[in-house]
Amino acid sequence: MNSKLLDANPLAATPIETPVAANTLLDDYGDDATFFYASPRLTFLGKGLHARLREPGREALLAHQVGELLAGARQAGIAAPIVAGALPFDADDAAVLFVPEQIIRAGRLAHGQIRAAAPQPLRGEIRQVPEAAVYHHAVEEALHRFATTPLEKVVLSRALEVHAPGGIDARALLTQLAAHNPNGFTFALDLFERGGHSIHRPLRLMGASPELLVSRHGRTLTANPIAGTLPRSKDPVEDEARGQSLLASVKDLHEHALVVDAVAKSLAPLCSTLIVPPKPSLIKTATLWHLSTIVHGEVADPSTSALDLAQALHPTPAVCGHPRDLAHAAIRELEPFERGLFTGMVGWIDETGDGEWAVTIRCAEVDSDKVRLFAGAGIVPASTPESELIETAAKFRTMLNAMGLDVPLEELL
């Protein structure tokens, strides 16, 4: 495998050019929108529902089912259809995949020109799931398992439930997410009523993920594993010091290497060329520093689709742990809630097999009067319960800020 560094960031590839301004698609997001997706390369707005996945979507049958959806859409006269949606963390859970009745494409959002008024803070009760003390105990149990089993890393998550009796403006929330996360993957999709064909259910999945699981454009693939995190500081000097300390952190470099190695091993059998940088770089969001590695390659078989690549990778140690089976078992035992689509993948695929799938993090389930936020942290032998509580609290900030909620740190610990 070729391991030399790329000269250019493939996430900043030439945007798809269309006459439609991307920001117009954000402005047009409304009750009839079933899918919105904005990446560093392109923007999609899907309206209506043509067809959707009816069965739970067993992993082995998913590619066939997606192919049938696309073929049916083409036969129905939908030009250049896509299958959009999200796959869950656990392969036994139901995927939410569908063909929008109408799909409008554009290039990258002009983030500096997004009209985003200051959010009106939601007013209501905030509840931790689980309580911080329960999460603290779960991290302690993980540390015990590192000492007594072959487990090397496990990602443990928690949630916040925000009740807003006054209602939630989904469009305003999406606009905030897009405006303040210019280098990420901003998404919103209807989850639909289970077992029915109605598109009137208000429940949505919304977020702004910093992490690309994988994309395929022609035979070129890109993956961007992210692991190793520190909260940012409002003081510029301290903020820069935190970034540099993350880049030098033995604990975080080890956690990151576990993820990159797993990604490379999963992709290598599918690629004729795979370029894996020897060291990570720093990236930042509005609230966090991350260690990031951009993996670039060429698929050996042109029939290998973006969905095939995503399924080969998921779940990476960035959202599950290592070894995978032991980590998955620990998550089932130590997390007192079902993840559902959180830490799965969200994105799209077209008839050619091209597509993009982002890791479903920095996200929330949004109902008419309730938001459930999720955040997780990678636990390794050098972790402490206190540091992981702080990390998850910082990760909640992406959604909390978008909702105008300035929750004191001590209320999340």
Side-chain angles (χ1 to χ4, degrees):
M1 290 292 170
N2 188 345
S3 60
K4 66 180 180 180
L5 283 167
L6 291 176
D7 293 330
N9 181 348
L11 297 186
T14 303
I16 291 177
E17 298 293 342
T18 81
V20 180
N23 288 34
T24 301
L25 302 188
L26 181 61
D27 294 339
D28 286 349
Y29 182 83
D31 291 340
D32 61 343
T34 48
F35 181 65
F36 180 88
Y37 178 90
S39 78
R41 184 175 181 268
L42 52 79
T43 307
F44 280 138
L45 177 64
K47 295 186 177 184
L49 174 66
H50 170 71
R52 66 187 178 94
L53 196 67
R54 289 294 187 172
E55 300 300 323
R58 294 288 179 181
E59 192 170 3
L61 302 175
L62 203 55
H64 176 71
Q65 292 170 314
V66 166
E68 288 185 331
L69 284 175
L70 288 167
R74 173 62 75 176
Q75 290 173 4
I78 295 178
I82 66 167
V83 169
L87 276 67
F89 168 70
D90 194 321
D92 291 333
D93 290 342
V96 178
L97 294 172
F98 58 97
V99 178
E101 189 72 38
Q102 179 186 15
I103 190 74
I104 309 167
R105 297 167 170 82
R108 179 186 174 120
L109 288 171
H111 292 273
Q113 299 175 26
I114 294 174
R115 298 187 295 271
Q120 295 296 317
L122 297 180
R123 304 196 181 278
E125 176 189 359
I126 298 178
R127 185 171 73 95
Q128 297 184 38
V129 182
E131 294 292 335
V134 176
Y135 186 80
H136 190 287
H137 176 74
V139 176
E140 289 181 328
E141 172 59 25
L143 296 174
H144 172 71
R145 294 188 186 199
F146 296 146
T148 57
T149 75
L151 184 64
E152 295 183 51
K153 175 185 176 179
V154 62
V155 178
L156 296 179
S157 305
R158 57 188 185 124
L160 290 181
E161 290 184 351
V162 181
H163 293 265
I168 295 161
D169 187 335
R171 179 183 172 187
L173 178 55
L174 181 66
T175 301
Q176 288 292 325
L177 290 169
H180 297 290
N181 297 277
N183 297 314
F185 300 80
T186 303
F187 56 88
L189 64 142
D190 270 321
L191 300 183
F192 308 113
E193 183 179 357
R194 296 288 187 263
H197 199 71
S198 170
I199 65 170
H200 302 296
R201 180 173 174 147
L203 188 64
R204 296 176 172 94
L205 179 71
M206 303 180 71
S209 174
E211 185 170 1
L212 173 68
L213 179 64
V214 70
S215 68
R216 197 208 84 170
H217 301 289
R219 294 182 68 167
T220 299
L221 71 85
T222 305
N224 184 203
I226 290 173
T229 302
L230 270 182
R232 296 190 62 190
S233 170
K234 293 181 180 180
D235 177 79
V237 176
E238 169 63 19
D239 187 48
E240 182 63 25
R242 289 187 185 185
Q244 294 305 310
S245 70
L246 179 62
L247 200 55
S249 167
V250 174
K251 175 246 184 189
D252 289 287
L253 288 170
H254 170 66
E255 179 186 346
H256 188 80
L258 287 175
V259 179
V260 174
D261 288 349
V263 167
K265 288 177 181 176
S266 295
L267 291 177
L270 303 174
C271 294
S272 57
T273 302
L274 193 63
I275 302 169
V276 183
K279 295 180 180 180
S281 58
L282 278 175
I283 62 170
K284 59 186 177 183
T285 69
T287 57
L288 296 162
W289 285 104
H290 293 293
L291 294 178
S292 163
T293 295
I294 296 174
V295 177
H296 180 71
E298 184 174 285
V299 294
D301 183 345
S303 69
T304 300
S305 72
L307 182 59
D308 294 329
L309 295 168
Q311 288 185 280
L313 288 170
H314 180 71
T316 74
V319 297
C320 184
H322 182 77
R324 181 185 290 183
D325 290 345
L326 285 177
H328 196 275
I331 289 167
R332 282 183 175 274
E333 294 174 35
L334 300 177
E335 283 186 2
F337 63 89
E338 294 295 326
R339 290 190 181 185
L341 297 174
F342 169 59
T343 63
M345 63 182 94
V346 58
W348 60 276
I349 183 172
D350 68 15
E351 294 173 288
T352 71
D354 283 356
E356 271 187 357
W357 297 94
V359 182
T360 314
I361 53 177
R362 313 294 185 274
C363 66
E365 294 173 351
V366 181
D367 212 333
S368 57
D369 60 357
K370 183 175 70 175
V371 182
R372 192 177 206 192
L373 295 68
F374 301 94
I379 316 301
V380 293
S383 297
T384 66
E386 294 76 16
S387 66
E388 305 309 329
L389 277 167
I390 291 172
E391 179 174 325
T392 51
K395 288 176 176 176
F396 284 132
R397 290 288 177 201
T398 297
M399 294 301 302
L400 290 173
N401 290 350
M403 293 186 291
L405 294 175
D406 186 15
V407 182
L409 179 63
E410 56 268 22
E411 293 186 16
L412 302 176
L413 302 180

